[in-house]
Amino acid sequence: MEEQHSHHSILKATGIFGFVQLLKMVVFAVSSKLVALFLGPIGMGLVALLQNVLQIILALTSFEFLKTATREIAIKKETTFATTVNLLFQLAIGIGVLGALVSVLFGLFFNKIIFTTSLPFSWYWLLILYFVFTSISNVYVAILQGVNQIKTLAIFNLAVSFFTALGSVPLYYFFRTEGVIWVVIYGALVQLVLAYLFTRNYTWQFNVLSLKELKIMASPLMQLGFFMSINLIFGQICFLLIKLFLTQTFHSTAIVGLYEVGNVILVNYLGLVFQAMSYDFYPKLATINDDNSAVKSLVNKQMEIALIVITPAVLFLYLTGPYVIELFYSHSFLPAFSILKFALLSVILKAITMPLGYIILAKGNKKQFFKQELLGDFLNVTLSILFYHYFGLEGLGMAYVLHYAIYALYVYFVVNKSYAFEFESALKKLIIVNVNLGMGAALALFFLPQYHYFVGVLVVFSVVYSYRALQQRVDLKKLFTK
């Protein structure tokens, strides 16, 4: 009964975010189609590079604030909630100001090494608003995640997506590439306003802490965040190196636009399970991090639900990927499907690796988390450049698969040795079946001229298999009736 309840809870969170993700996809489909038409591959490449710069600055200055703040609230929500939130807000202000300073001081440096055409330096001054808004809104979001307000968090994410798209489309229409900076600031402002509105019922008082108090209280949190932020910095630099390599190879940002479209499809369209992990699974894992048996049980169940839900979606995209790209973007973005031919398989592997990685994070093992993420970043940039050199766009997809496979083996070895974590027999069966389904679809695209029929059969089989597997774990009739 307890096991069924755990599966039910995980499926509920996944279902809520899945439904929200579906609605977000509708919003995104309309807005991205218009933006792609307004900007084209070159403009989309510029957006991708600017977003990469923002992520690097955030990595340098934020100390992975959202994740560490979420963990802190999840652990202390029953004891010192108000004190914790007060501390987090003061840290957020400092982090926002630090990000703003880095943006202004290093703007010329970013212009010189990243962009083929220099951005107006005034953009880096305007980004001050972005970093301050983002840092403060992260505290509000951490509150929702830490207290496990799944429905509220899901509605919040949908509202952010809707209102951001509502304002972004006219900005891109009237200003084209000049509107990129205004879209960035507008999106951060929307998130801040909505985050405040969705958390206004949580009470706390802002009491200014002395530097000594701030140092003592924030030290454990910032130490963990420091190691995580180093990983984030390496990760964003690696993505930037890949994009710069592609840009220099073609002397244009158009190829980066294709790479970005592939990433968006992998992250946004197939991201419902991974959103549920970060918003629901991770805070739960943090609260039980001292109990290895409970950790093992929860992680196994999360992987089961993730594989059951994600594999049919992956196979469906194998069948419909080109149509999805043309629908959401335009015909000029169709070459991006070459990346997805193998990259879609990596999403199934990610359903295994991501919960394993969260074990280390929930445990607060900062040194091990640093090592495993450093390995992942190294594999990402090395394999991507190497495989692209020999196999072109399809090689980027191959790199995704090999990256996640090696990473999964390494992290499993670590958590097995350190925390006695093991895959349960039911999960092992799911892994074997679903990975083979994904491999079958990927190989069909390369070796079968009429691959649609074969992949269509795999889609039907996957849906039936996933339904039966889900029914064994959750009383679906009771769930849907409720």
Side-chain angles (χ1 to χ4, degrees), residues 276-294:
M277 283 188 197
S278 60
Y279 294 146
D280 175 64
F281 167 68
Y282 169 54
K284 285 181 180 176
L285 196 63
T287 60
I288 61 169
N289 72 84
D290 291 329
D291 187 341
N292 285 344
S293 178

Side-chain angles (χ1 to χ4, degrees), residues 66 133-134 137-138 140-141 156-157 160 164 186-196:
L66 179 56
F133 292 165
T134 299
S137 66
N138 278 342
Y140 294 119
V141 177
F156 162 74
N157 276 282
V160 170
T164 299
Y186 168 75
L189 178 61
V190 166
Q191 178 161 308
L192 175 61
V193 172
L194 290 175
Y196 166 75

Side-chain angles (χ1 to χ4, degrees), residues 425-459:
S425 57
L427 176 59
K428 289 178 183 177
K429 182 180 177 181
L430 280 172
I431 290 173
I432 292 170
V433 172
N434 287 290
V435 169
N436 277 300
L437 284 171
M439 288 176 61
L443 294 173
L445 266 65
F446 285 92
F447 298 110
L448 297 179
Q450 299 297 325
Y451 70 87
H452 296 87
Y453 301 108
F454 181 76
V455 176
V457 171
L458 292 182
V459 170

Side-chain angles (χ1 to χ4, degrees), residues 174-450:
F174 287 109
F175 299 105
R176 293 305 199 266
T177 55
E178 295 296 323
V180 170
I181 185 64
W182 300 111
V183 169
V184 168
I185 295 169
Y186 168 75
L189 178 61
V190 166
Q191 178 161 308
L192 175 61
V193 172
L194 290 175
Y196 166 75
L197 293 175
F198 275 79
T199 56
R200 65 186 183 278
N201 293 330
Y202 294 93
T203 56
W204 60 281
Q205 286 187 328
F206 190 89
N207 298 315
V208 179
L209 299 170
S210 67
L211 289 177
K212 184 178 179 181
E213 290 175 318
L214 195 62
K215 181 180 178 181
I216 293 172
M217 294 175 67
S219 181
L221 187 148
M222 297 305 288
Q223 284 179 21
L224 176 60
F226 173 74
F227 279 95
M228 291 171 63
S229 66
I230 294 176
N231 289 135
L232 186 60
I233 292 166
F234 280 124
Q236 291 303 323
I237 290 175
C238 286
F239 271 113
L240 183 59
L241 288 173
I242 294 169
K243 291 173 183 178
L244 289 176
F245 172 77
L246 296 174
T247 302
Q248 296 303 319
T249 302
F250 280 83
H251 305 289
S252 170
T253 58
I255 189 70
V256 180
L258 299 178
Y259 180 67
E260 188 66 13
V261 166
N263 280 325
V264 167
I265 290 174
L266 293 173
V267 174
N268 287 7
Y269 300 161
L270 296 172
L272 65 96
V273 171
F274 308 117
Q275 272 201 332
M277 283 188 197
S278 60
Y279 294 146
D280 175 64
F281 167 68
Y282 169 54
K284 285 181 180 176
L285 196 63
T287 60
I288 61 169
N289 72 84
D290 291 329
D291 187 341
N292 285 344
S293 178
V295 166
K296 174 186 171 181
S297 177
L298 180 61
V299 171
N300 269 270
K301 290 174 176 58
Q302 178 64 58
M303 285 188 195
E304 289 176 11
I305 296 299
L307 286 168
I308 288 169
V309 172
I310 205 70
T311 303
V314 167
L315 295 179
F316 182 73
L317 265 178
Y318 267 119
L319 191 63
T320 62
Y323 309 107
V324 170
I325 292 172
E326 194 159 8
L327 174 66
F328 287 180
Y329 296 94
S330 69
H331 184 76
S332 59
F333 287 90
L334 278 178
F337 188 64
S338 296
I339 301 173
L340 298 178
K341 287 179 180 179
F342 272 112
L344 286 170
L345 174 58
S346 72
V347 179
I348 298 175
L349 299 178
K350 186 177 179 180
I352 302 167
T353 61
M354 196 167 178
L356 291 177
Y358 272 131
I359 294 175
I360 309 295
L361 182 58
K363 291 281 186 180
N365 189 341
K366 45 187 178 290
K367 291 183 179 179
Q368 177 53 45
F369 187 80
F370 171 76
K371 286 192 289 186
Q372 72 188 38
E373 295 304 301
L374 187 62
L375 171 65
D377 295 335
F378 173 77
L379 290 172
N380 183 29
V381 68
T382 305
L383 295 174
S384 293
I385 292 176
L386 181 65
F387 276 68
Y388 179 79
H389 177 73
Y390 287 105
F391 303 106
L393 288 174
E394 291 169 352
L396 291 174
M398 296 176 191
Y400 270 109
V401 175
L402 193 56
H403 163 207
Y404 278 109
I406 297 173
Y407 181 85
L409 290 172
Y410 172 74
V411 178
Y412 178 77
F413 172 78
V414 170
V415 295
N416 175 261
K417 183 179 178 181
S418 302
Y419 310 114
F421 177 85
E422 293 178 333
F423 292 140
E424 295 170 356
S425 57
L427 176 59
K428 289 178 183 177
K429 182 180 177 181
L430 280 172
I431 290 173
I432 292 170
V433 172
N434 287 290
V435 169
N436 277 300
L437 284 171
M439 288 176 61
L443 294 173
L445 266 65
F446 285 92
F447 298 110
L448 297 179
Q450 299 297 325

Side-chain angles (χ1 to χ4, degrees), residues 28-42:
F28 189 80
V30 176
S31 63
S32 62
K33 178 78 173 182
L34 294 172
V35 171
L37 291 173
F38 299 153
L39 299 185
I42 294 176

